[in-house]
Amino acid sequence: MQCMRTTCQRAHVCARSYMGGMGPGLSRTGIKKPNKSSGQVPRIDRSQYKNYLETLDKAVERPDSGIKVSTLPRSVPNALPSGWVAPPTTIPDLPYYVWRNLDQTLPVEHKESSEFDRYTQISRIEGDIELLRDAVERFLDDDTIPVVASDITGTITCLGWRAFEIKKWLQLQGF
């Protein structure tokens, strides 16, 4: 396919560069491409990560710092190196159950509302949804995070992006 050029009053513009929301000089993800002629390579500032680790160490020493350190174990038993955990062979003896998706992942997702509120949603719940909501609320252990259950849609929603923590907690519960 040949590149169709349209003439503007200022310069020639390639119509293909604007397909799919891509502007000239941008990659598909919208990140500015490095200039190859000057040898620029995007770098990560690792000194900030060291400062982050030092801050976490100080938070463990001082519990009133306001920084929470997760009490979850680093890995789930029987987890693959990718972090995926096979579905359990038996259903846990709880009054609720969270069914997995067709691709065998847990149905916990990050979402955004039209008001740009970020929230986490747990779906595919069977059983006593209020008991699961109470358990999630106790797990998050933060009174400022509202956790809301909807019997009609069968979902639990909590404010903030907490999917990673909730998925790990559900895997440890036997889902």
Side-chain angles (χ1 to χ4, degrees):
M1 179 178 168
Q2 289 184 347
C3 181
M4 300 180 300
R5 294 188 179 265
T6 58
T7 308
C8 151
Q9 293 177 354
R10 296 186 191 142
H12 293 281
V13 178
C14 178
R16 289 184 67 198
S17 67
Y18 293 104
M19 291 171 56
M22 293 186 336
L26 296 178
S27 67
R28 287 190 181 272
T29 57
I31 300 170
K32 190 80 172 165
K33 291 180 183 175
N35 188 357
K36 292 181 182 176
S37 63
S38 66
Q40 292 177 346
V41 179
R43 300 273 181 206
I44 298 171
D45 186 10
R46 302 208 181 265
S47 65
Q48 297 300 320
Y49 185 68
K50 290 178 184 176
N51 292 339
Y52 170 72
L53 290 178
E54 290 172 4
T55 306
L56 283 182
D57 290 340
K58 290 177 186 175
V60 172
E61 296 167 4
R62 247 185 46 220
D64 63 334
S65 64
I67 297 175
K68 287 186 138 189
V69 179
S70 176
T71 58
L72 289 172
R74 289 214 176 258
S75 64
V76 178
N78 303 325
L80 295 178
S82 64
W84 183 79
V85 178
T89 55
T90 60
I91 294 177
D93 189 26
L94 294 169
Y96 48 83
Y97 190 75
V98 180
W99 291 98
R100 290 188 175 222
N101 294 327
L102 290 176
D103 61 352
Q104 299 301 319
T105 58
L106 286 167
V108 182
E109 301 170 342
H110 289 145
K111 295 195 173 190
E112 286 187 14
S113 68
S114 59
E115 296 87 24
F116 300 108
D117 290 332
R118 295 176 174 180
Y119 61 94
T120 304
Q121 188 176 42
I122 307 169
S123 56
R124 300 184 56 123
I125 301 167
E126 184 179 301
D128 195 347
I129 196 167
E130 285 299 323
L131 282 176
L132 180 58
R133 186 197 69 78
D134 292 338
V136 169
E137 198 170 41
R138 273 185 269 117
F139 164 68
L140 293 176
D141 193 30
D142 193 352
D143 297 332
T144 61
I145 300 173
V147 180
V148 179
S150 172
D151 290 331
I152 296 170
T153 59
T155 59
I156 293 177
T157 306
C158 67
L159 200 60
W161 284 11
R162 307 284 183 154
F164 179 75
E165 302 166 49
I166 293 175
K167 278 182 185 179
K168 194 179 250 190
W169 177 74
L170 285 172
Q171 290 168 348
L172 290 170
Q173 295 289 316
F175 297 109

